[in-house]
Amino acid sequence: MKNYKIAILAGDGIGPEITAEAVKVLKLIEQRNDVSFELMPALFGACAYFATGDAFPQETKDICDAADAILKGPIGLSHEESKGIPIDKQPERGALLPMRRRYNTYANFRPVSLPKELAHFSPLKPEIIGEGIDIIIVRELVGGLYFGEKELGVDANGQRYVKETLEYTEAQICQIMHQAFKLASHRKKVLHNIHKSNVLKSSVLWNEIMEEVAIEYPEVEVINILVDAAATLLCLKPTQFDVMVMENMFGDILSDQGGGILGSLGLMPSACLGDEKSYYEPSHGSAPDIAGKNIANPYSMIGSVAMMLENSFDMQDEAKNVWAAMQGVFADGFSTADLSKSGSGVNMISTVEFGDKVVEKLSNMPKVG
Ligand code: IPM
Ligand code: MG
């Protein structure tokens, strides 16, 4: 029997509600497979800041250090509430970015997955969705503008100014490229490289290194697209994409567009992979406006569990079952109030009921282990 330690960081806003549903699924996976999980809850985000004065306290670091994988809920406060916390202690700068840096989780996989069962959530026309959308955005997660040198000051003329640098080393570009090419070679063998080399020198180096790495993957066809054009094509013809690789900031923006294509960021789980440790999180924020109402869909959090099974625990078949169970609940006509309007023909259920239905579906699936 394999034993894994999982740090559980429920986070802020809707985090604790949707994390509770993901934990139910983890407990069922233990029953169905030759595996045991030691769940280690810890404070992370604004909740940690209010309890300890630090959004990523030492105790949480120790728990994450000891874990085989980390399941992290959304963090953050409303724009107004954030102003009550010093800028560098706010959950994003004080917890999330330090977590990415601490574990060097450089490869962020963000699936934009819209099978037919979920097509009704998308704002795109049926003829654009076709047989369904199935893209993985591979976002570089520990470089670029997010982590480059920053300077804020007042110049000789008394004008306030800011400088933020977009920095990448060869090694950083190389490692994300290998991840993207490997993924593409296991899928449709097409990699869309997203860049802005007509303006940015960082993209010139990015493309140069991409071409060098490409030699090791002759089976993968590379298609280069400028990031602005990619934004348009994602709306007009999303089915042409399979794996897309891009730097950090481009990935932040285009992955949210991916959420728009699906109809909600609530349908976007993600994996943040490092060579030593990986963590899994929804791509969305903590949605403070709907927190505590039992209406947030736990899909992104349960989907993050599926990505953990696949990437950290080598449980690919059970991961597929988890995806199928979640999508099956939608296929049966159920939805939650954050995703669907009442009266729109769906059978409205709560966060907890959605989690229960996923558990019920999964427990009826044949065991794989
Ligand atoms: C994301 C989020 C984060 C990011 C924020 C919360 C710092 O938007 O994971 O996409 O910009 O990376
Ligand atoms: Mg984002």
Side-chain angles (χ1 to χ4, degrees):
M1 152 115 60
K2 293 240 174 74
N3 299 291
Y4 294 114
K5 292 192 172 95
I6 307 176
I8 305 281
L9 316 180
D12 304 317
I14 58 170
E17 294 163 66
I18 60 177
T19 303
E21 301 315 305
V23 166
K24 274 189 206 163
V25 173
L26 279 170
K27 298 221 184 276
L28 173 63
I29 292 165
E30 273 186 308
Q31 287 170 26
R32 285 167 46 84
N33 296 271
D34 195 23
V35 67
S36 78
F37 299 131
E38 185 186 332
L39 306 182
M40 309 186 296
L43 291 174
F44 187 77
C47 58
Y49 173 79
F50 291 128
T52 71
D54 188 351
F56 190 9
Q58 188 57 46
E59 195 188 328
T60 301
K61 287 184 181 139
D62 292 342
I63 288 174
C64 292
D65 287 354
D68 295 299
I70 301 163
L71 183 66
K72 182 203 140 282
I75 55 157
L77 298 168
S78 67
H79 188 65
E80 276 312 306
E81 279 178 313
S82 286
K83 289 183 184 160
I85 302 184
I87 230 177
D88 287 321
K89 298 225 165 217
Q90 289 170 4
E92 295 81 358
R93 279 188 210 83
L96 188 56
L97 300 185
M99 160 97 96
R100 290 175 182 173
R101 190 194 288 266
R102 185 176 187 84
Y103 300 118
N104 192 27
T105 54
Y106 61 89
N108 184 204
F109 287 10
R110 296 196 154 174
V112 183
S113 171
L114 192 74
K116 277 191 184 157
E117 298 91 316
L118 274 69
H120 59 284
F121 290 125
S122 176
L124 300 184
K125 296 189 182 106
E127 59 266 34
I128 291 181
I129 296 170
E131 290 303 297
I133 297 169
D134 183 17
I135 303 170
I136 298 195
I137 291 181
V138 178
R139 167 187 179 193
E140 199 292 327
L141 200 59
V142 295
L145 279 170
Y146 276 63
F147 292 94
E149 221 173 280
K150 294 169 198 292
E151 191 181 301
L152 202 58
V154 181
D155 67 15
N157 302 320
Q159 290 277 312
R160 282 169 294 173
Y161 74 88
V162 64
K163 276 190 206 163
E164 293 198 289
T165 45
L166 202 170
E167 293 176 19
Y168 272 108
T169 64
E170 174 172 353
Q172 278 181 316
I173 300 173
C174 214
Q175 64 185 2
I176 190 69
M177 282 304 167
H178 278 290
Q179 291 280 353
F181 274 102
K182 273 187 204 140
L183 185 66
S185 72
H186 289 117
R187 289 172 53 103
K188 292 193 181 150
K189 301 185 173 20
V190 179
L191 176 62
H192 282 88
N193 175 49
I194 310 304
H195 66 98
K196 186 75 185 174
S197 70
N198 54 350
V199 176
L200 301 177
K201 293 253 171 87
S202 53
S203 280
V204 173
L205 181 66
W206 176 273
N207 290 353
E208 208 173 287
I209 292 169
M210 184 277 296
E211 282 173 19
E212 289 161 17
V213 174
I215 295 168
E216 294 178 47
Y217 303 87
E219 72 281 15
V220 176
E221 180 195 359
V222 177
I223 301 175
N224 294 293
I225 304 197
L226 289 166
V227 62
D228 45 354
T232 309
L233 291 170
L234 266 172
C235 289
L236 296 182
K237 204 172 173 241
T239 50
Q240 74 184 288
F241 295 111
D242 188 57
V243 179
M244 304 172 79
V245 65
M246 63 203 77
E247 68 88 41
N248 203 346
M249 186 82 198
F250 295 167
D252 181 43
I253 297 168
L254 287 193
S255 63
D256 266 33
Q257 192 179 339
I261 287 170
L262 301 182
S264 170
L265 276 177
L267 299 173
M268 294 271 297
S270 87
C272 307
L273 307 175
D275 290 335
E276 251 98 75
K277 195 171 312 257
S278 300
Y279 82 92
Y280 300 84
E281 65 175 358
S283 302
H284 57 75
S286 61
D289 51 323
I290 59 164
K293 296 186 175 164
N294 199 16
I295 62 171
N297 199 285
Y299 185 97
S300 60
M301 204 69 206
I302 299 175
S304 296
V305 167
M307 296 189 83
M308 177 185 285
L309 297 181
E310 190 182 337
N311 292 284
S312 283
F313 305 150
D314 201 18
M315 295 172 69
Q316 285 78 4
D317 291 335
E318 189 71 329
K320 283 189 193 124
N321 287 337
V322 173
W323 281 109
M326 289 197 298
Q327 291 167 356
V329 176
F330 287 129
D332 289 349
F334 295 101
S335 189
T336 46
D338 59 336
L339 295 179
S340 304
K341 290 202 174 71
S342 56
S344 59
V346 301
N347 207 334
M348 202 68 85
I349 54 177
S350 67
T351 308
V352 172
E353 286 165 333
F354 193 95
D356 289 342
K357 291 209 176 289
V358 173
V359 163
E360 189 187 315
K361 282 235 175 257
L362 183 59
S363 55
N364 287 330
M365 289 183 181
K367 289 187 191 175
V368 284

